[in-house]
Amino acid sequence: MTALLLSLFRYKRKAQIDLNILIVFLFTAVLSIGQTPTDALMMPPKNICILLSYDYGHFDRYWEGDNLRSNETIASVNRTTILPMAAVGIFDDLNFYIGLPYVKTKSSEPNGGKFEGANDFQDFMVALKYKALEKSVGSGRLSLLTTVGYSTPATNYLSDYMPYSLGFGAPEFSLRGIAQYQLSNGFYVRGMASHLWRGYTEAERDYYYNNGSFYTSLMDVPNAWNFEGVLGKWFMNNALKLELNYTGLKSTSGDNIRAYNAAQPSNKVKFDRLGISLQYYPPSLNGLGVVGYYTNVVNGLNTAKISNVGLGLTYQFNFIKNTNNEQNAQ
């Protein structure tokens, strides 16, 4: 393991569901898509929306501290995420979310056969979103919402295997506040702020350095603040939605990647990411939606300069009504 870490020196891969996403970290750039814990949309009661998305990320440079550099040892790193997620309308003002991403990482070059990527299910997540307020203000409507979420590793993946790690390998609790103001012509602005409380992850070594020596296999993953700003508009009688978005993340503690050392989950991470997303609901296909997006990290600290492109399908239906129809047909 020591030889592997020394061979992987100088590279940092930011573990994202971000995602969440997820919730930042849970779903990466997928959180730009509608009907997620970070937007201002609400599912009607007794309705469910299923999302299946494909995300491809690529990077060949990273920030070691605040120094942007490349790594010739592992060349380009590709990261693929397949995300199934469901949003369920419980009440008018309360939605439930559940998701489980599958992640695959690899390098674009074989690296002499020394390094392999990884693939497995990442982190299982659940969340509740509550609409606390919706009222007319001026010529538009103001919406205030809050989301609480929790995620935990679904498999025993190795978090201390940068830059191929599937995630940071620790449980995470998130609390999020969302505010949106939408005009009658379809234009809207949205802001989001959240705090991420993260636990410990276990490495396959009994010593690591984090501004001091730690003789344990447990690494303290730093908590973080997450921010988002969105400018969007609905077109074609609310059949098409276009968004321009900014996402930021800043760890509250942690250390920098040390020169000639591998990155690790205890590193302090910061990034600024810009993106664009489209969502289209074909009028002739009731309940079906198509989503697409592109994001790019433009500034960072101890993180990858990664670009992501994604495509997904959504399908919304009334599961109570469908059940009643089946019973009547019998």
Side-chain angles (χ1 to χ4, degrees):
M1 179 56 68
T2 301
L4 173 62
L5 292 171
L6 291 176
S7 299
L8 286 174
F9 72 91
R10 301 191 308 170
Y11 219 106
K12 166 66 180 175
R13 171 68 179 99
K14 165 69 176 64
Q16 294 182 307
I17 163 131
D18 140 305
L19 213 33
N20 233 201
I21 340 145
L22 245 126
I23 302 177
V24 176
F25 339 16
L26 303 177
F27 303 128
T28 69
V30 178
L31 292 182
S32 300
I33 296 176
Q35 304 289 12
T36 70
T38 67
D39 61 33
L41 296 176
M42 297 294 295
M43 291 290 300
K46 303 176 184 178
N47 274 250
I48 184 170
C49 182
I50 305 296
L51 164 70
L52 180 62
S53 71
Y54 173 87
D55 178 274
Y56 173 78
H58 167 86
F59 68 93
D60 56 13
R61 291 184 294 168
Y62 74 108
W63 283 276
E64 182 183 271
D66 58 3
N67 180 30
L68 182 62
R69 62 190 306 174
S70 61
N71 187 309
E72 301 301 329
T73 303
I74 60 176
S76 299
V77 175
N78 305 320
R79 184 178 180 90
T80 301
T81 303
I82 298 174
L83 171 65
M85 187 176 74
V88 183
I90 302 176
F91 304 115
D92 287 331
D93 299 329
L94 185 66
N95 284 181
F96 173 74
Y97 299 84
I98 184 170
L100 179 60
Y102 182 88
V103 180
K104 181 178 181 180
T105 62
K106 66 176 183 177
S107 285
S108 59
E109 299 181 7
N111 302 308
K114 296 179 181 178
F115 308 123
E116 292 187 1
N119 61 92
D120 210 336
F121 288 101
Q122 190 204 52
D123 296 343
F124 175 76
M125 68 78 60
V126 292
L128 285 172
K129 181 166 66 177
Y130 175 68
K131 183 170 64 177
L133 174 69
E134 185 176 47
K135 63 179 298 185
S136 296
V137 177
S139 58
R141 294 192 67 81
L142 175 67
S143 301
L144 300 178
L145 307 94
T146 185
T147 302
V148 294
Y150 177 77
S151 70
T152 189
T155 57
N156 191 30
Y157 61 81
L158 180 58
S159 61
D160 191 28
Y161 184 39
M162 306 290 186
Y164 303 108
S165 173
L166 305 183
F168 53 75
E172 177 182 279
F173 174 79
S174 62
L175 179 62
R176 176 172 282 103
I178 305 166
Q180 177 171 294
Y181 183 71
Q182 180 169 333
L183 299 174
S184 57
N185 61 8
F187 275 105
Y188 61 88
V189 292
R190 184 171 70 249
M192 182 275 293
S194 66
H195 191 70
L196 314 176
W197 290 269
R198 293 162 172 169
Y200 287 84
T201 185
E202 187 170 2
E204 289 189 351
R205 50 176 168 150
D206 55 10
Y207 169 82
Y208 68 95
Y209 187 90
N210 176 7
N211 295 323
S213 296
F214 290 81
Y215 293 90
T216 176
S217 62
L218 297 178
M219 292 185 176
D220 188 4
V221 181
N223 298 334
W225 286 98
N226 175 220
F227 306 95
E228 184 182 54
V230 174
L231 175 63
K233 188 181 189 310
W234 288 94
F235 299 91
M236 302 168 57
N237 294 322
N238 292 337
L240 176 66
K241 181 179 69 172
L242 170 66
E243 287 189 350
L244 302 176
N245 56 75
Y246 160 81
T247 303
L249 184 137
K250 183 178 182 180
S251 298
T252 59
S253 62
D255 60 340
N256 287 329
I257 302 174
R258 295 185 295 151
Y260 307 107
N261 278 263
Q264 60 189 33
S266 66
N267 291 145
K268 184 175 185 178
V269 173
K270 176 183 177 182
F271 69 76
D272 299 295
R273 186 178 70 198
L274 299 178
I276 182 172
S277 68
L278 289 168
Q279 189 161 8
Y280 178 61
Y281 303 95
S284 60
L285 300 175
N286 187 33
L288 187 67
V290 181
V291 295
Y293 61 87
Y294 171 80
T295 66
N296 183 44
V297 175
V298 297
N299 183 50
L301 178 76
N302 299 308
T303 193
K305 185 171 175 56
I306 187 170
S307 298
N308 291 78
V309 60
L311 183 67
L313 292 175
T314 64
Y315 182 66
Q316 179 179 338
F317 59 94
N318 185 316
F319 59 89
I320 298 296
K321 180 179 178 180
N322 290 345
T323 300
N324 292 338
N325 288 342
E326 291 177 2
Q327 291 175 349
N328 293 335
Q330 294 175 354

